[in-house]
Amino acid sequence: MDYRIEKDTLGEVKVPIDKLWGAQTERSRSNFKIGHEASMPFDVIEAFAILKKAAAHANCDLGVLSSDKRDLIETVCNEILDKKLNSQFPLVIWQTGSGTQSNMNVNEVIANRAQILSERKIGQDESILKANDDVNKSQSSNDTFPTAMHIAAYTVLVKNTIPALEQLLENFNKKAAKFNPIIKIGRTHLMDATPLTLGQEFSGYATLIEKGLHTLNTSLVNLSEIALGGTAVGTGLNAPKDYDVKVAQYISKFTGLPFKTAENKFEALSAHNALVESHAALKQLAISLNKIANDIRMMASGPRSGIGELLLPENEPGSSIMPGKVNPTQCEALTMVCAQVMGNDVAITIGATQGHYELNVFKPLIIANFLESARLLGDACNSFNEHCVKGIQPNEKRIKELVHNSLMLVTALNTKIGYYKAAEIAQTAHKNGTTLKEEAIRLGYVKSEDFDLWVNPEDMI
């Protein structure tokens, strides 16, 4: 392989001649061979392209960058956003905790690509753009990386996760309305309880999702604040006056999302509580979705030796040895995703504790786990909705059988004959394998016509 020589403050480095990155990227590539498949999420790289373009415009407006350089930076950033330069970002998550090398990776690629666009040779002709002085003007990795974190996180939530949850919520609401006339047995402690309707049960699932969505949407307010303009420690050193406000306006313009400059840059660099808050909402949703998926697969258990109240879509064969077996695979996939999100929350929590003095140094870990959770949860909700929820059907024959066979219908007799006599009826029926009505009459506590009048599932919901 042919190489060219690149230089940084530590000296010379060999860089593959066909690559656009420079010395700092190459040093990171050599020094952090940790998890070769754990590349920095491209959402972060795209966020960097947006903020670098915004910074160039803001710097030009404020008279510290020429319009020619602004236009070159914008051109390359647009190429990054069009995914034309994907192979130029080789760095992994496990690098410096400030994300400095990924910031420089973007700076170097923009500067060297501008060199080619200007028909100059990288490393030989005078640089048309300098990675640090031009592309990184008015910036520090300490404020660009947290800004990229917020842009990437906010974007994936509003474009992937939230729409998927909204679609799932819509279908649970539809099922709740459709299933409302169907009376089924309730269960507490996994044991028979008093009746409710299948629609009421599904309305509980819809409300769990609705409340989680509300929490997630509320968290976007703090996530919309960006650190750019704080530079190294939050003071804004080397950034022109009003740069922070102007660059946030450009980021908002380029994304169509309501980003604004953080009121306190010291907090924005040293802590990541906005991401902790938003991911806590994702964890809340994961907990809720885990409950929903488990309920559905248990109600669908069988088809003949389980509960069998629900019929799920038969999407694929379930066994390589048992012919005809079909499993609740969408429920299993969703619950695995939920487990991953809960695990990611632990990593983010620990990462958020590493804000010492003026800088948190677990930034790559925090954003990588956040983006994985947001994308996984969105994708899993889409899959669960499309391949499971939409096709759920009630097994009404089995539901009626279980309702009328339940001993807990005896609860309706509490106000008529008292708790203790009602308990005696239930326990005797269970022991003898008889019905509640048979034992109520045999024990002399209830007449036949009164039992039929009082123990009516439709009156108990």
Side-chain angles (χ1 to χ4, degrees):
M1 180 181 290
D2 292 331
Y3 295 91
R4 68 175 189 275
I5 301 299
E6 289 272 353
K7 295 181 181 180
D8 61 13
T9 56
L10 293 183
E12 294 183 346
V13 178
K14 287 183 177 180
V15 177
I17 201 166
D18 61 335
K19 301 302 181 183
L20 295 175
W21 63 71
Q24 291 201 47
T25 303
E26 188 62 25
R27 286 190 193 280
S28 181
R29 201 164 74 101
S30 299
N31 292 339
F32 297 98
K33 295 180 178 179
I34 306 170
H36 67 282
E37 294 181 352
S39 298
M40 184 64 66
F42 199 74
D43 302 83
V44 175
I45 305 303
E46 289 181 319
F48 263 112
I50 291 165
L51 76 86
K52 295 294 177 183
K53 180 166 67 168
H57 275 268
N59 282 323
C60 183
D61 290 354
L62 295 168
V64 296
L65 188 74
S66 71
S67 59
D68 289 343
K69 290 183 175 181
R70 175 202 64 195
D71 292 345
L72 273 172
I73 291 171
E74 180 170 28
T75 297
V76 182
C77 287
N78 287 338
E79 288 187 348
I80 294 171
L81 294 170
D82 289 338
K83 297 180 170 42
K84 294 179 180 179
L85 303 176
N86 286 20
S87 63
Q88 303 301 324
F89 303 100
L91 302 188
V92 295
I93 297 162
W94 316 112
Q95 53 168 281
T96 174
S98 62
T100 298
Q101 283 125 22
S102 281
N103 179 44
M104 283 308 302
N105 183 192
V106 176
N107 289 336
E108 290 172 345
V109 168
I110 292 172
N112 285 335
R113 177 59 181 159
Q115 194 79 344
I116 293 173
L117 292 174
S118 302
E119 299 183 349
R120 302 186 183 195
K121 292 184 178 180
I122 299 171
Q124 296 182 29
D125 298 331
E126 182 181 355
S127 298
I128 189 73
L129 285 179
K130 289 185 169 56
N132 288 82
D133 293 335
D134 297 318
V135 185
N136 201 62
K137 183 176 284 294
S138 307
Q139 302 155 58
S140 162
S141 299
N142 296 351
D143 69 347
T144 59
F145 202 91
T147 298
M149 292 166 75
H150 278 219
I151 294 171
Y154 197 113
T155 301
V156 73
L157 288 178
V158 299
K159 292 187 176 180
N160 179 281
T161 318
I162 291 173
L165 286 160
E166 288 173 340
Q167 283 294 312
L168 185 60
L169 173 60
E170 181 182 342
N171 276 305
F172 268 113
N173 279 325
K174 287 179 180 178
K175 293 293 181 183
K178 183 178 180 181
F179 296 162
N180 204 48
I182 301 171
I183 300 170
K184 69 182 292 290
I185 199 64
R187 296 181 181 87
T188 58
H189 304 270
L190 297 181
M191 308 298 282
D192 296 354
T194 55
L196 74 166
T197 73
L198 186 59
Q200 288 171 330
E201 198 161 42
F202 270 63
S203 76
Y205 303 153
T207 300
L208 282 170
I209 298 169
E210 185 176 22
K211 287 185 174 181
L213 262 171
H214 174 74
T215 304
L216 187 57
N217 278 307
T218 301
S219 76
L220 293 177
V221 174
N222 290 328
L223 205 56
S224 68
E225 291 192 2
I226 57 173
L228 208 55
T231 65
V233 297
T235 61
L237 179 67
N238 289 353
K241 187 177 184 298
D242 297 327
Y243 165 81
D244 58 343
V245 174
K246 187 170 283 291
V247 76
Q249 290 171 345
Y250 273 112
I251 290 174
S252 185
K253 176 184 176 181
F254 295 150
T255 61
L257 300 171
F259 290 107
K260 58 188 177 184
T261 191
E263 292 184 14
N264 190 301
K265 306 297 191 300
F266 307 102
E267 182 268 345
L269 271 62
S270 64
H272 293 303
N273 288 345
L275 286 155
V276 172
E277 178 189 19
S278 290
H279 197 273
L282 294 178
K283 181 183 73 170
Q284 175 188 339
L285 282 157
I287 291 167
S288 297
L289 291 166
N290 191 77
K291 179 258 193 303
I292 293 166
N294 277 329
D295 278 9
I296 287 173
R297 69 171 165 179
M298 285 189 288
M299 282 192 280
S301 62
R304 294 188 177 180
S305 300
I307 293 174
E309 292 177 331
L310 296 181
L311 303 172
L312 304 186
E314 297 184 351
N315 296 321
E316 63 274 314
S319 174
S320 61
I321 188 172
M322 293 175 280
K325 195 173 193 298
V326 179
N327 296 327
T329 52
Q330 289 295 321
C331 297
E332 292 164 4
L334 179 57
T335 50
M336 284 193 286
V337 164
C338 292
Q340 184 66 53
V341 172
M342 290 181 236
N344 287 349
D345 195 72
V346 175
I348 289 171
T349 299
I350 294 170
T353 68
Q354 302 305 302
H356 306 310
Y357 298 116
E358 277 64 62
L359 190 69
N360 177 286
V361 292
F362 272 44
K363 298 182 194 298
L365 170 129
I366 291 170
I367 191 58
N369 280 277
F370 187 102
L371 293 171
E372 181 181 51
S373 290
R375 287 205 175 277
L376 276 177
L377 208 58
D379 292 348
C381 284
N382 280 330
S383 183
F384 185 60
N385 185 36
E386 186 65 30
H387 301 294
C388 181
V389 176
K390 284 184 178 180
I392 291 175
Q393 297 295 329
N395 184 348
E396 295 196 51
K397 180 181 178 182
R398 177 64 171 161
I399 289 172
K400 288 178 182 178
E401 176 188 337
L402 291 173
V403 168
H404 291 288
N405 196 42
S406 172
L407 298 176
M408 289 306 100
L409 296 181
V410 79
T411 306
L413 295 177
N414 282 4
T415 59
K416 307 299 182 182
I417 63 173
Y419 176 91
Y420 297 103
K421 289 181 178 178
E424 185 183 353
I425 292 170
Q427 290 164 352
T428 306
H430 181 54
K431 179 181 178 181
N432 295 336
T434 51
T435 67
L436 291 173
K437 184 175 181 179
E438 287 172 336
E439 292 302 335
I441 294 169
R442 188 187 69 78
L443 290 168
Y445 294 150
V446 181
K447 294 179 180 179
S448 176
E449 59 271 23
D450 288 336
F451 186 94
D452 294 336
L453 180 64
W454 295 337
V455 184
N456 182 0
E458 293 183 2
D459 296 333
M460 300 172 71
I461 58 173

